[in-house]
Amino acid sequence: MACLLETPIRMSVLSEVTASSRHYVDRLFDPDPQKVLQGVIDMKNAVIGNNKQKANLIVLGAVPRLLYLLQQESSSTELKTECAVVLGSLAMGTENNVKSLLDCHIIPALLQGLLSPDLRFIEACLRCLRTIFTSPVTPEELLYTGPDHQTILFNHGAVQNIAHLLTSVSYKVRMQALKCFSVLAFENPQVSMTLVNVLVDGELLPQIFVKMLQRDKPIEMQLTSAKCLTYMCRAGAIRTDDSSIVLKTLPCLVRMCSKERLLEERVEGAETLAYLIEPDVELQRIASITDHLIAMLADYFKYPSSVSAITDIKRLDHDLKHAHELRQAAFKLYASLGANDEDIRKKIIETENMMDRIVTGLSESSVKVRLAAVRCLHSLSRSVQQLRTSFQDHAVWKPLMKVLQNAPDEILVVASSMLCNLLLEFSPSKEPILESGAVELLCGLTQSENPALRVNGIWALMNMAFQAEQKIKADILRSLSTEQLFRLLSDSDLNVLMKTLGLLRNLLSTRPHIDKIMSTHGKQIMQAVTLILEGEHNIEVKEQTLCILANIADGTTAKELIMTNDDILQKIKYYMGHSHVKLQLATMFCISNLVRNEEEGSQERQDKLRDMGIVDILHKLSQSPDSNLCDKAKTALQQYLA
């Protein structure tokens, strides 16, 4: 019986609480506009810093009435402004408060308020909008985001209207203008190209940004200016070898990575620098030798240290909760630094305990840290030397296989891409990866709805099949199944198709393997080859397919599947006379393998091909201006003369 009493008790408590708040809501419905205004002002004073009062007023239906008053033409500007202030205060409460406001369609009402001629009312609406949009529960799509949003602002003269604010006497105004430019320029060539030529008091905007990132300026200003220049550079508006990037922006961002800086400054500095240098090898080299950056980043993993200089307990508590962001930023920057240069990769790997740190990062609870660690490892795995040494010494493949078992798609894409590198023929990790069940895992990836995962799955299988034993090839074919193989050969994604053809080519190499595979799968493979050669595919696809035919023609018994298929023979003849040399060369490999005279049945094959007019085409090709094609044709003709 006791549990039945809980509800009435809760209801009575709620009744008492809401009763004390109800008079605030009741006053919003008073017929006297002056009393309504005073009621809203009193409500404003009652809710400041009082989350319980905010929740009560929302439960009692204050929000729809406040929004109604805010939108009424008959409401005075002062009343509208006070309503917007109260709504902003309610939004500063809990996430549930924000959800309640969104359910009442607050966004359109506030956006409409921005059309008012009254600056105080506009400011109140903007403050409220900012509070709502900085809440994690607000869906971004409620306001235009990304390129669309940038374009709308750009087309409405945002650049010209904001530019002069950079010379404001108010630091806050200058900073907001800077932040706005960084958001506008991000991954937007149109905006960035315009910013380069904007003049403010006779000075070009990039020059103003450079002045703002000098050491004597506040850190926030230095960082945001560096972001503006970084985004303009990445959008192609400023050259990567421009002095504003090499001598100003890059050194400024490296400074931000110093352990003297606050945690959030170090994170932002490292992530922005990673983005700046990501595509440019020269910037990567410059960054790697600036202020001992590679060693400096190692401190990101030791934070906060036992001898931390932080005496502010609140700051220490904050930093302990956010220390993972430092590790994430360090991994990102190491990944960019090591993207191209072998010497830089070596320096990174030789940094104290680096491989252990990356391996630990692969199993962190934070998805973002795991993703950054995998990206870092992927960048370093481009090194043949490191694949043979450090990666083997630390058995990197083990945690990587664990990551691949259960991870979000964004991590799977990078992890599977790295697995492709670990499965290269010279990698010592190849064998243990095979023994740990990689074939089934990769075959599973080829069935993913995500094209990038399908590509990586088939790419890794292609690497696995390269110069592999017959048993491994048989395992791949069995796990993949011919049905899935042919589904991949008709995949709408060109990369998937190309890698599947590459896999087939690697499977069909060395004569005993070719004959074995064609004896069990020959009919389906010949059917797939026919369909691709007849289809609307590009030159590269058809070249790969003709190379597969050339491999089949190299088999001892497999070549009969070509010789007994008149349709395929006619296609070979057609591509011998094609206008594209790549396709002609691919067919020449096939013909050379078919007419080789030291093999059994060569005379019959040569006769059949002569009757088809192949010899006449060979004579024509022996006069080709392309020396490669000419040589191949002459070599094939010699088989007839021997």
Side-chain angles (χ1 to χ4, degrees):
M1 291 298 289
C3 62
L4 294 175
L5 293 172
E6 284 185 354
T7 307
I9 287 171
R10 283 180 181 169
M11 283 178 67
S12 63
V13 170
L14 184 65
S15 301
E16 286 171 28
V17 172
T18 51
S20 65
S21 308
R22 181 166 291 283
H23 73 283
Y24 288 114
V25 179
D26 290 343
R27 289 166 71 189
L28 301 180
F29 293 88
D30 197 289
D32 182 346
Q34 205 51 43
K35 287 183 179 175
V36 172
L37 174 61
Q38 192 54 52
V40 175
I41 292 169
D42 291 346
M43 185 183 283
K44 175 180 73 175
N45 295 329
V47 297
I48 291 171
N50 189 334
N51 277 348
K52 188 183 253 185
Q53 188 70 279
K54 290 175 187 179
N56 288 340
L57 292 171
I58 289 170
V59 168
L60 290 166
V63 176
R65 183 62 182 173
L66 287 167
L67 285 171
Y68 173 80
L69 294 169
L70 182 134
Q71 294 175 89
Q72 283 304 296
E73 283 184 25
S74 57
S75 296
S76 68
T77 304
E78 189 182 0
L79 175 58
K80 289 179 179 180
T81 304
E82 292 295 347
C83 286
V85 170
V86 173
L87 289 164
S89 188
L90 295 177
M92 284 182 179
T94 64
E95 289 182 359
N96 282 333
N97 289 11
V98 177
K99 283 178 186 172
S100 300
L101 293 171
L102 292 172
D103 290 343
C104 293
H105 308 290
I106 189 171
I107 304 290
L110 292 171
L111 289 174
Q112 193 65 31
L114 301 182
L115 300 174
S116 164
D118 188 89
L119 285 176
R120 213 173 141 257
F121 177 45
I122 291 173
E123 188 181 341
C125 289
L126 283 171
R127 285 182 187 279
C128 187
L129 279 167
R130 184 179 65 179
T131 304
I132 290 167
F133 275 103
T134 51
S135 167
V137 300
T138 307
E140 285 185 353
E141 59 270 18
L142 287 176
L143 197 64
Y144 286 112
T145 54
D148 291 343
H149 191 194
Q150 290 169 320
T151 304
I152 289 167
L153 288 170
F154 177 76
N155 291 341
H156 283 79
V159 171
Q160 291 73 18
N161 286 313
I162 295 167
H164 73 278
L165 299 176
L166 290 170
T167 58
S168 167
V169 292
S170 164
Y171 171 75
K172 277 188 174 181
V173 171
R174 293 201 303 279
M175 269 314 304
Q176 292 309 318
L178 252 187
K179 285 177 180 176
C180 197
F181 278 132
S182 76
V183 171
L184 280 171
F186 183 65
E187 292 187 346
N188 195 316
Q190 183 190 19
V191 174
S192 294
M193 292 293 185
T194 304
L195 292 182
V196 170
N197 299 309
V198 170
L199 281 168
V200 182
D201 291 351
E203 202 169 12
L204 286 168
L205 211 48
Q207 292 168 339
I208 293 173
F209 292 153
V210 166
K211 282 183 177 176
M212 288 177 149
L213 53 71
Q214 288 172 349
R215 289 171 185 262
D216 61 338
K217 296 291 186 287
I219 294 297
E220 181 189 28
M221 183 173 277
Q222 289 184 47
L223 248 177
T224 313
S225 303
K227 273 183 162 183
C228 290
L229 290 161
T230 292
Y231 298 160
M232 289 163 73
C233 178
R234 282 298 306 266
I238 301 175
R239 289 167 56 98
T240 54
D241 59 358
D242 190 277
S243 62
S244 66
I245 298 298
V246 178
L247 302 178
K248 301 294 182 182
T249 308
L250 188 148
C252 170
L253 290 169
V254 172
R255 284 201 306 275
M256 296 303 142
C257 299
S258 157
K259 58 182 172 188
E260 278 73 49
R261 301 267 55 87
L262 292 174
L263 178 142
E264 45 268 44
E265 292 162 0
R266 294 169 79 188
V267 168
E268 211 169 334
E271 292 193 340
T272 307
L273 182 55
Y275 182 66
L276 173 65
I277 68 173
E278 187 181 27
D280 191 272
V281 66
E282 200 47 46
L283 287 180
Q284 289 158 14
R285 286 176 183 145
I286 294 165
S288 72
I289 56 170
T290 303
D291 292 352
H292 308 288
L293 177 64
I294 290 174
M296 195 193 296
L297 285 176
D299 288 332
Y300 277 46
F301 298 94
K302 304 172 188 172
Y303 187 87
S305 65
S306 54
V307 289
S308 176
I310 301 174
T311 51
D312 181 343
I313 296 299
K314 275 191 178 176
R315 163 54 66 175
L316 184 59
D317 183 55
H318 167 273
D319 285 6
L320 282 167
K321 286 175 183 168
H322 293 270
H324 67 278
E325 291 174 22
L326 274 175
R327 297 193 292 278
Q328 177 193 335
F331 284 139
K332 277 185 183 176
L333 185 44
Y334 276 136
S336 284
L337 283 164
N340 296 288
D341 190 282
E342 188 68 24
D343 290 336
I344 298 174
R345 289 187 196 121
K346 190 167 183 290
K347 278 185 195 169
I348 292 170
I349 285 173
E350 287 172 356
T351 303
E352 51 177 321
N353 305 322
M354 184 45 62
M355 291 305 289
D356 291 334
R357 282 171 179 149
I358 298 173
V359 167
T360 304
L362 293 175
S363 55
E364 282 217 24
S365 57
S366 162
V367 172
K368 288 181 176 178
V369 176
R370 291 210 307 275
L371 178 59
V374 173
R375 281 197 173 132
C376 181
L377 208 51
H378 182 237
S379 177
L380 300 174
S381 75
R382 295 188 183 115
S383 162
V384 174
Q385 181 61 30
Q386 300 309 331
L387 281 176
R388 285 179 166 156
T389 54
S390 305
F391 277 58
Q392 186 61 12
D393 296 342
H394 291 81
V396 166
W397 64 270
K398 284 183 182 175
L400 185 71
M401 289 296 288
K402 197 175 175 186
V403 166
L404 283 161
Q405 302 296 335
N406 184 23
D409 271 14
E410 57 182 343
I411 290 180
L412 275 180
V413 169
V414 188
S416 56
S417 183
M418 191 193 146
L419 194 62
C420 293
N421 292 347
L422 290 178
L423 286 167
L424 288 166
E425 163 252 348
F426 53 75
S427 168
S429 305
K430 183 172 181 176
E431 203 170 312
I433 290 172
L434 284 169
E435 289 166 2
S436 69
V439 175
E440 288 79 7
L441 188 148
L442 294 169
C443 290
L445 289 183
T446 69
Q447 297 180 33
S448 169
E449 288 181 15
N450 185 329
L453 286 177
R454 293 202 301 280
V455 169
N456 288 348
I458 205 75
W459 194 342
L461 289 170
M462 181 185 89
N463 287 351
M464 192 185 279
F466 181 72
Q467 295 183 354
E469 299 168 8
Q470 172 64 36
K471 181 188 177 301
I472 292 169
K473 292 181 178 180
D475 283 350
I476 292 171
L477 275 170
R478 187 180 62 253
S479 296
L480 192 60
S481 83
T482 45
E483 292 80 6
Q484 177 60 6
L485 185 65
F486 299 120
R487 267 197 292 273
L488 293 166
L489 286 170
S490 56
D491 200 289
S492 58
D493 189 285
L494 178 61
N495 288 324
V496 174
L497 173 56
M498 284 295 284
K499 291 294 178 279
T500 308
L501 291 170
L503 169 63
L504 256 182
R505 216 176 143 180
N506 286 350
L507 290 170
L508 294 166
S509 62
T510 74
R511 285 184 190 175
H513 297 179
I514 295 167
D515 291 334
K516 174 78 175 145
I517 290 169
M518 292 307 288
S519 70
T520 52
H521 299 87
K523 187 182 174 187
Q524 298 99 315
I525 289 172
M526 295 304 285
Q527 192 180 355
V529 165
T530 306
L531 285 170
I532 291 170
L533 291 177
E534 285 177 352
E536 293 293 319
H537 294 290
N538 67 24
I539 297 298
E540 283 70 28
V541 168
K542 297 210 168 178
E543 181 192 19
Q544 279 286 322
T545 309
L546 289 167
C547 288
I548 288 168
L549 268 185
N551 283 15
I552 295 168
D554 191 38
T556 305
T557 56
K559 56 168 53 83
E560 287 309 309
L561 287 163
I562 296 175
M563 292 307 300
T564 55
N565 189 326
D566 289 340
D567 188 16
I568 285 286
L569 288 172
Q570 286 301 327
K571 284 179 172 52
I572 291 170
K573 181 182 176 181
Y574 166 76
Y575 284 108
M576 283 178 78
H578 199 275
S579 59
H580 207 291
V581 174
K582 270 187 175 181
L583 299 184
Q584 290 179 294
L585 276 169
T587 55
M588 287 311 305
F589 282 111
C590 190
I591 291 294
S592 296
N593 286 340
L594 291 173
V595 300
R596 229 177 4 234
N597 59 24
E598 73 269 14
E599 294 176 8
E600 190 182 332
S602 61
Q603 191 60 54
E604 290 85 347
R605 287 193 293 276
Q606 287 182 4
D607 291 345
K608 182 167 185 176
L609 293 172
R610 181 188 282 110
D611 294 344
M612 285 177 61
I614 296 293
V615 175
D616 295 338
I617 300 172
L618 286 173
H619 280 295
K620 278 184 195 170
L621 294 178
S622 68
Q623 307 301 314
S624 169
D626 185 278
S627 59
N628 238 344
L629 189 56
C630 172
D631 290 345
K632 290 273 179 279
K634 285 177 180 175
T635 304
L637 283 169
Q638 282 169 5
Q639 298 296 313
Y640 276 89
L641 300 171

